[in-house]
Structures are given as C-alpha cells and as structure tokens.
Amino acid sequence: MDKYYYLRLCPSKDLVADMKHLTVEQRYTIFAMLQIGYTQIEIAKTIEVDKSTVSRELRRNCDMRSGKYIMDLAQRKADKRKADKRRKELFTLQMQRRVKKLLKRGFSPEQIAGRSKNEDKPMVSHETIYRWIWEEKRKGGTLHKYLRRQGRKYAKRGSKNAGRGFIPNRVDIDERPNVVDNKERFGDLEIDTIIGKNHKGAILTINDRLTGRVWIRKLQGKEAIPVAKVTAWALRKVKNLIYTITADNGKEFAKHEEIAQKLELDFYFCKPYHSWERGANENTNGLIRQYIPKGTDFSEITNKQIKRIENILNNRPRKRLGYLTPNEKFKQIINQNSVAFARRP
C-alpha cells in the first residue's frame, strides 16, 4: 500500500489532536505502522503528535529484552506508570467552594477547571474534581446530581471500556477468510450507520461487496438492540446466501453475536480508524448522501423515501460490473448458481 494513501486516511484532528497522553488506538497505530516499516516521523504525523512523543513512547514502553514495541505490553507499562505516579493535589476548601458554586450554575468539571485557568484562579484538574464528586457521593452527598450525566461515572478518553472500539467478543478482520477480500462470491457484506441532524435518528446501510447491492433501513436511534433486529429483518430473504458481515467499531454493533446467530453468518470488525477496510460501504454511504445530505433531519425522512433511494442505487449501472446494475448482477449470480444456492455450505 502506498504510504501516502495510508496517511491520508489517518484519524482526523478532532479525534486525536491535543491529547496529553497516548490512547489505546494511538498505541495500536504505532504498533501497526512499525510492522509495515514506517518511520517515527511518519507515525507521528499519522497520530498527530510530536515526533518526540513517538520516540519517548518507544523508548519507555518497549520490551526491554527484545527491544520490540508490542502494543499490549506498552499499554500495560503506561497504565502501571500512571498508577504509580505520585499526585500532589492540594484541593483547598476555597477551591471546593468554587466548584460547588459553579456546579450549581450548570458548569461541568472541565468548564470549571478551564474557566478558573482563564481567570488565573487556582484550581485542580477536572479529573480531580470528578474524583472528589464521586467520593462525596459515596459519603451520601448530592453534588453528582448537578452533572449532565447523573449517576454515571466519567470515563477518560482512551479507556479500554469507553468509546468506540469496546465490543464484547469482537472478532478482528484479520481472522476473516481471504476469499472475502477477493470479492468472488455474493454474501460477504459490510454494514454501517448514517447519523441524522443533531445526532437524532439513524439510517442502517448494508452492501454486498461483489454486486454492490444495498439494503437501507431507517432506524429510530443507534442503540445496539434495534440495530440487530433491523439488520436481521432486512436480510431475512437472503439469509441462505450470505456468509460474512464486516462492521466498524461503533457500539451500535455490540449485539453482533445476535446478528450472527439469527443470520447464521460470521461477524467481523475492522481495526480502529481503518475505514478503508469497509471501502465499498463508505462509497455506498457517499452515494446515499446525494439524496440525504449531511444536516438532514431524519425525522422528516419516510420509509418510502428510503426504499426509493435503495431502488435507485440497486438499479444504477456500475462500471466495475460491466455496466450491469447490482440487481442484474445479483440475478445473474443466482441463475448461474441456482443449485449451489439452494442451501449454502
């Protein structure tokens, strides 16, 4: 793969920029790029940190015996170093009074710490404020009720149980059969969701890698349970023809085992930030955006409109199919393999 093509597909600034500490995803990227042969400077550009950060990471968290950088070992070392670090936090009564006052005014701990810094007023970090609030809660206090997420503990970015990437029993794309990459058979699918205006509403998109045939369904939200149900229902008519499905690491696919069981297929996940591993699906979503632009209020989109878009895309000639439509290619495959498709092996 062309290294510059790889770099163009790296995480965007709003995802990884300005982080004080490296995340699990960044350490994975360092590990993966080292295996391919990228330089420290190229790796630093990809994860958008200074090259000295990469150099220090390799020096501090590599295997001291072999000198190799292994992501899991590096993360364990970083976690231990953080746990062992002595904290010198002087959370004075004056600070505590200011925190209480601003919490009641609707400020978050991040806003309290940031505002205090802007005003040159002494204040501990927002992590310390959170810890203080939860300690106060354990003692019967009520300050946690002023947080936007009442009763739910703050999870640091990069935590192994937070954000994208934490999928129970996730099966990595590395374990997917090579035949899927060859695009030689119908039934190897990719799946994703498109989110509506203000993160309200969603659309489920599924495509077949060989034919480009798409299934588009409207969702009420991105919760894993309804996504699993809609996926199984959308694909019920081709259940005997499909083999695999590949998704990104969104939590909406946390019920992947339920999907795999109902459809009798194997479910795989791309690596974090490797969107090109579902390139066909990314292209499909781009085609759908011609009809449903970003910023569209999905509450105004009807199921009839969704079906119309699906029909348009499935009946549009594709160059890579010799200008057959996805539906025509699908019918051609069914006719050629009617006996084999009576029941997949």
Side-chain angles (χ1 to χ4, degrees), residues 41 186 255 287:
I41 293 177
F186 176 85
K255 294 295 182 180
L287 297 176

Side-chain angles (χ1 to χ4, degrees), residues 28-136:
Y28 178 83
T29 301
I30 292 174
F31 170 74
M33 293 184 72
L34 284 173
Q35 306 308 303
I36 302 174
Y38 286 88
T39 67
Q40 293 184 24
I41 293 177
E42 290 170 333
I43 295 173
K45 287 180 179 179
T46 301
I47 63 176
E48 297 184 348
V49 299
D50 189 87
K51 62 181 181 181
S52 63
T53 301
V54 176
S55 176
R56 182 169 57 252
E57 172 67 12
L58 297 178
R59 185 174 64 255
R60 300 174 72 188
N61 293 331
C62 69
D63 187 328
M64 300 305 294
R65 289 173 296 181
S66 67
K68 294 182 179 180
Y69 183 85
I70 304 172
M71 191 273 286
D72 291 338
L73 175 62
Q75 189 62 42
R76 290 198 301 271
K77 283 191 171 186
D79 291 341
K80 185 177 186 304
R81 187 177 292 108
K82 186 175 181 181
D84 294 342
K85 184 178 179 181
R86 296 181 61 184
R87 297 184 176 90
K88 296 181 180 180
E89 299 164 343
L90 301 176
F91 198 5
T92 65
L93 289 176
Q94 182 180 4
M95 292 182 192
Q96 293 176 19
R97 285 194 291 267
R98 177 173 172 78
V99 169
K100 290 180 181 179
K101 178 181 176 180
L102 294 180
L103 281 174
K104 293 176 181 179
R105 287 177 54 186
F107 282 41
S108 69
E110 290 94 335
Q111 291 168 336
I112 293 172
R115 186 70 178 180
S116 298
K117 181 179 180 180
N118 288 348
E119 297 177 356
D120 291 326
K121 293 184 178 179
M123 182 54 63
V124 292
S125 68
H126 67 274
E127 290 97 338
T128 300
I129 296 174
Y130 272 114
R131 286 197 297 272
W132 179 66
I133 291 172
W134 295 116
E135 179 64 28
E136 196 251 6

Side-chain angles (χ1 to χ4, degrees), residues 132-145:
W132 179 66
I133 291 172
W134 295 116
E135 179 64 28
E136 196 251 6
K137 178 186 178 182
R138 284 192 289 271
K139 295 178 180 178
T142 59
L143 287 178
H144 65 281
K145 294 183 178 181

Side-chain angles (χ1 to χ4, degrees), residues 300-317:
E300 299 176 359
I301 302 296
T302 66
N303 289 324
K304 185 176 180 180
Q305 289 173 299
I306 293 293
K307 190 64 178 177
R308 175 178 173 271
I309 296 170
E310 178 181 297
N311 288 334
I312 289 174
L313 297 182
N314 284 333
N315 290 285
R316 174 185 291 177

Side-chain angles (χ1 to χ4, degrees), residues 4-268:
Y4 297 105
Y5 176 72
Y6 183 95
L7 293 174
R8 285 198 299 272
L9 295 172
C10 69
S12 58
K13 289 183 179 179
D14 56 316
L15 285 173
V16 298
D18 298 324
M19 292 184 183
K20 186 176 181 181
H21 301 289
L22 292 178
T23 65
V24 174
E25 290 80 8
Q26 286 174 309
R27 287 194 168 95
Y28 178 83
T29 301
I30 292 174
F31 170 74
M33 293 184 72
L34 284 173
Q35 306 308 303
I36 302 174
Y38 286 88
T39 67
Q40 293 184 24
I41 293 177
E42 290 170 333
I43 295 173
K45 287 180 179 179
T46 301
I47 63 176
E48 297 184 348
V49 299
D50 189 87
K51 62 181 181 181
S52 63
T53 301
V54 176
S55 176
R56 182 169 57 252
E57 172 67 12
L58 297 178
R59 185 174 64 255
R60 300 174 72 188
N61 293 331
C62 69
D63 187 328
M64 300 305 294
R65 289 173 296 181
S66 67
K68 294 182 179 180
Y69 183 85
I70 304 172
M71 191 273 286
D72 291 338
L73 175 62
Q75 189 62 42
R76 290 198 301 271
K77 283 191 171 186
D79 291 341
K80 185 177 186 304
R81 187 177 292 108
K82 186 175 181 181
D84 294 342
K85 184 178 179 181
R86 296 181 61 184
R87 297 184 176 90
K88 296 181 180 180
E89 299 164 343
L90 301 176
F91 198 5
T92 65
L93 289 176
Q94 182 180 4
M95 292 182 192
Q96 293 176 19
R97 285 194 291 267
R98 177 173 172 78
V99 169
K100 290 180 181 179
K101 178 181 176 180
L102 294 180
L103 281 174
K104 293 176 181 179
R105 287 177 54 186
F107 282 41
S108 69
E110 290 94 335
Q111 291 168 336
I112 293 172
R115 186 70 178 180
S116 298
K117 181 179 180 180
N118 288 348
E119 297 177 356
D120 291 326
K121 293 184 178 179
M123 182 54 63
V124 292
S125 68
H126 67 274
E127 290 97 338
T128 300
I129 296 174
Y130 272 114
R131 286 197 297 272
W132 179 66
I133 291 172
W134 295 116
E135 179 64 28
E136 196 251 6
K137 178 186 178 182
R138 284 192 289 271
K139 295 178 180 178
T142 59
L143 287 178
H144 65 281
K145 294 183 178 181
Y146 293 102
L147 298 175
R148 294 190 184 97
R149 300 171 65 190
Q150 299 180 20
R152 295 176 61 189
K153 222 173 185 180
Y154 169 76
K156 296 181 182 178
R157 188 172 4 175
S159 168
K160 68 178 182 179
N161 294 332
R164 300 180 70 80
F166 180 64
I167 304 290
N169 300 320
R170 172 186 179 279
V171 181
D172 193 83
I173 195 172
D174 285 346
E175 299 183 37
R176 193 176 69 177
N178 292 333
V179 66
V180 180
D181 297 324
N182 298 333
K183 296 184 180 180
E184 295 176 345
R185 66 183 184 185
F186 176 85
D188 294 311
L189 312 179
E190 298 174 347
I191 189 170
D192 197 12
T193 53
I194 301 175
I195 308 304
K197 182 180 180 181
N198 298 324
H199 292 271
K200 294 182 179 179
I203 292 174
L204 180 71
T205 67
I206 308 170
N207 65 283
D208 172 61
R209 286 171 56 84
L210 173 59
T211 65
R213 197 165 188 261
V214 299
W215 294 262
I216 311 174
R217 297 293 184 271
K218 184 177 179 181
L219 301 166
Q220 296 304 314
K222 284 185 64 177
E223 291 76 15
I225 293 177
V227 166
K229 290 182 178 179
V230 172
T231 300
W233 178 256
L235 298 175
R236 70 193 186 285
K237 293 182 179 180
V238 294
K239 175 181 176 180
N240 290 342
L241 310 179
I242 53 182
Y243 298 89
T244 69
I245 193 164
T246 304
D248 65 11
N249 293 275
K251 285 186 176 180
E252 64 268 31
F253 301 119
K255 294 295 182 180
H256 61 96
E257 292 174 300
E258 180 178 324
I259 296 173
Q261 181 180 14
K262 287 184 177 180
L263 295 175
E264 299 177 31
L265 51 71
D266 296 317
F267 204 112
Y268 300 96

